[in-house]
Amino acid sequence: MSDKPLLGNRKLIRGLNRSTVLNTILAEGAISRAALSKSIGLSPASITNLTAELLEQGLILETKQGESRGGRRPTLLEINPDGGYVVGLKLTDRQLIGALTDLSAKVLSNEVTTLDGSQPEQIVEKIAGTVTSLLKKAHVPRKKLRGVGLGLAGVVDSQNGISRQHPIFGWQDVPLGALLQEKLKTLVHIDNDVKALTTAELLYGAGQGVSEFLTVTIGRGIGLGIVVGGQLYRGSRGGSGEFGHIVVDPKGQPCSCGKIGCLETFVAEPALLQSGQCAAENGDLDPFTTLDELINFAESGQTAAVKLFSTAGQVLGREIANLINIFNPALVIVSGEGTRIGELIFSSMTAAIKEYAMSTLKSDTEVRIDPWGDDAWAVGAASLVLQDFFSSPINRRKAAVPRA
Ligand SMILES: [Zn+2]
């Protein structure tokens, strides 16, 4: 077979090799040029050439931490964390959560502010203020900012930077990417918050090196990130993964999406609070206002609270079993603020997965509960920009709006 068409696009091939080198260095942590050459299958001369370019761009650096085998210690290559900085932001119903990270996704400064309003212009202003404040706190000059990533709820067309449907603010087709680009004058990526979190798992977390995995988030809503063939699956226009809105009981409770009996009406935080309130009104529980109080009730053995969480876990586990039957993932990562409920929900969830997933497929799947950190959403959003450094030219997504 002639390789002429490939030679006709040297720039593309070079871009592919460059991303493979960067990804291998990221995955290995530290690696010698010889090991890179062996692992990737490129000639030592090509590796020297590509790594020289990456060194010059400040994206990688040389260290001498390698194991010595009698002789001098080999020079290893690592990602240069100070090669650039990005800001990741998560927009919730009431707050803007932000973090500034280096290229290894390490958080250097963070900030949580309360929203002044939900109009797009108000959000843009709030974001601009937070970006400035995060840079200042970390003593990073604005010229070293490589981009801003924003994760938000609902259906997002990340290719074109459009919030197609925001379930809380009622937005329809808001060109948020363009508005932010105009204000911030830097590269901007926006995406659904769960997809952003899944991107972070893929690049830096438990999903590193796993080509088929799912991320299920529990919190104010129930989310799903799908990774197939090492790539995030977005659906035809960015709407994949609305796991929280699969119908569990058509005769059930009304859902925020306008339908009846969705998974969220059984498992999401507002649903848990509502079930708790019903139990309190019936005199089965003491009065309470927050989810943490409800968790405390269950931990101290109040039967109605224990039952409420275990029922939610059972419903969730059954639906995760359905996902396992459809996707045959190697890994399911359970994440989100709701993981703080802990074993109260997970023991029944795990039992239901075992009961309802096909046993052969279940044995292929590891289910892992992610320890939740407050910065996780923001780091996820930061990784929307970070992935630009590591993705191949074929898979690289267009920025929300081209660089000014
Ligand atoms: Zn729904």
Side-chain angles (χ1 to χ4, degrees), residues 160-200:
N160 297 301
I162 294 168
S163 166
R164 294 184 58 206
Q165 188 200 343
H166 193 292
I168 305 159
F169 298 158
W171 296 351
Q172 292 280 344
D173 295 323
V174 172
L176 195 60
L179 295 172
L180 283 170
Q181 172 83 23
E182 200 181 307
K183 181 79 186 174
L184 300 171
K185 310 271 188 270
T186 188
L187 179 78
V188 173
H189 281 303
I190 74 167
D191 209 337
N192 166 273
D193 46 9
V194 181
K195 290 190 177 68
L197 191 72
T198 306
T199 302

Side-chain angles (χ1 to χ4, degrees), residues 244-245 255-257 259 262:
H245 299 288
C255 179
S256 62
C257 72
K259 311 281 179 196
C262 298

Side-chain angles (χ1 to χ4, degrees), residues 330-388:
L331 176 67
V332 176
I333 303 165
V334 183
S335 190
E337 297 89 340
T339 55
R340 72 184 189 280
I341 302 167
E343 279 308 300
L344 291 166
I345 203 164
F346 294 136
S347 58
S348 59
M349 179 192 86
T350 312
I353 291 174
K354 200 172 169 197
E355 184 176 352
Y356 294 105
M358 287 176 68
S359 57
T360 310
L361 302 184
K362 169 66 191 72
S363 64
D364 294 338
T365 308
E366 180 196 349
V367 178
R368 184 190 290 218
I369 318 290
D370 236 12
W372 182 252
D374 290 336
D375 287 326
W377 286 120
V379 171
S383 73
L384 294 174
V385 181
L386 292 168
Q387 76 169 353
D388 262 9

